[in-house]
Amino acid sequence: MVEHDDDKLAAYRGKRDTGKSGEPAGDAETSDSGDGGRFVIQKHDASTLHYDLRLESDGVLKSWAVPKGPSTDPSDKRFAIMTEDHPLDYADFEGVIPEGEYGAGTVLVWDQGRYDNLRAGKQSDPKTMAQSLEEGLVEVYLHGEKLTGGYALKRIEGGNEEKSKWLLIKMRDEGADARRNPTSTEPKSVRSGRDLDAVAAESDDN
Ligand code: MN
């Protein structure tokens, strides 16, 4: 076990028994990658199906549950609710969280890649991810396998904390496409090529 000098993951650990759930315990060494970093969008067939958007920042994955998932149409505003910070190695997690555990259900990696913090590159008044999260305006450029281009997260209620309410909006750029509907047409994992049923079935075999 790695000793932690902070309790950023206290909420994560408090909600689950990772020995039973099979999820990462969050013990991996973390490195400070500066601004930008990894992102992942996990499709999570829990009590209600949703997508979890996670952005690496300051050694954890900042996380939002997005009930309808991301859109590539800039006219869509997708509701997102901030959830507890997750450990960095959660970005690799696919599997089934057993019945009775927090978030019980099947998880697959729907999209992944690197992201850039667009606000850090602004000539006037650049903002770090930490400042963006505090202000409630996050602008990132996703380099994913399904999603590319800018996305804005705008906070509409609450602070930089669990259960705050946000909107996830595609920015108008080369990645915008009102006709694409990737959550419907590209349902499978970018890690394993599996759909939710296949992930669940292979978990049953274990
Ligand atoms: Mn979830």
Side-chain angles (χ1 to χ4, degrees), residues 93-140:
F93 177 71
E94 273 192 357
V96 176
I97 302 168
E99 282 303 320
E101 301 300 317
Y102 180 76
T106 307
V107 177
L108 64 71
V109 175
W110 185 79
D111 201 8
Q112 65 182 0
R114 308 284 304 176
Y115 80 90
D116 301 320
N117 171 14
L118 291 171
R119 297 190 71 192
K122 293 269 162 68
Q123 292 241 318
S124 64
D125 205 21
K127 300 289 183 185
T128 65
M129 279 293 282
Q131 289 169 325
S132 298
L133 289 158
E134 283 300 323
E135 288 183 3
L137 177 62
V138 172
E139 293 179 347
V140 291

Side-chain angles (χ1 to χ4, degrees), residues 29-204:
E29 295 285 354
T30 61
S31 61
D32 194 336
S33 62
D35 254 343
R38 285 185 78 181
F39 86 92
V40 65
I41 299 174
Q42 283 156 318
K43 187 176 183 180
H44 186 185
D45 189 14
S47 51
T48 56
L49 180 71
H50 61 274
Y51 294 77
D52 291 297
L53 167 63
R54 310 189 196 281
L55 301 173
E56 177 181 0
S57 176
D58 288 336
V60 295
L61 295 172
K62 302 302 294 185
S63 297
W64 293 260
V66 186
K68 289 182 157 180
S71 175
T72 54
D73 182 348
S75 65
D76 284 339
K77 294 179 172 64
R78 293 288 164 89
F79 181 71
I81 189 153
M82 187 173 258
T83 56
E84 75 275 19
D85 295 347
H86 277 51
L88 291 183
D89 50 1
Y90 205 93
D92 299 318
F93 177 71
E94 273 192 357
V96 176
I97 302 168
E99 282 303 320
E101 301 300 317
Y102 180 76
T106 307
V107 177
L108 64 71
V109 175
W110 185 79
D111 201 8
Q112 65 182 0
R114 308 284 304 176
Y115 80 90
D116 301 320
N117 171 14
L118 291 171
R119 297 190 71 192
K122 293 269 162 68
Q123 292 241 318
S124 64
D125 205 21
K127 300 289 183 185
T128 65
M129 279 293 282
Q131 289 169 325
S132 298
L133 289 158
E134 283 300 323
E135 288 183 3
L137 177 62
V138 172
E139 293 179 347
V140 291
Y141 194 101
L142 303 182
H143 302 274
E145 297 178 40
K146 295 173 181 169
L147 301 184
T148 55
Y151 278 83
L153 278 154
K154 297 181 181 179
R155 194 168 61 220
I156 53 174
E157 190 181 312
N160 181 21
E161 62 200 4
E162 268 186 77
K163 297 196 169 74
S164 57
K165 295 174 181 172
W166 301 64
L167 296 173
L168 175 65
I169 305 166
K170 180 74 194 77
M171 296 166 77
R172 294 184 186 279
D173 60 20
E174 64 281 0
D177 186 344
R179 294 161 304 177
R180 263 187 87 196
N181 190 2
T183 52
S184 296
T185 60
E186 300 170 65
K188 292 180 180 175
S189 166
V190 294
R191 283 184 69 82
S192 66
R194 298 179 297 176
D195 63 13
L196 285 169
D197 287 344
V199 173
E202 286 173 35
S203 173
D204 286 344

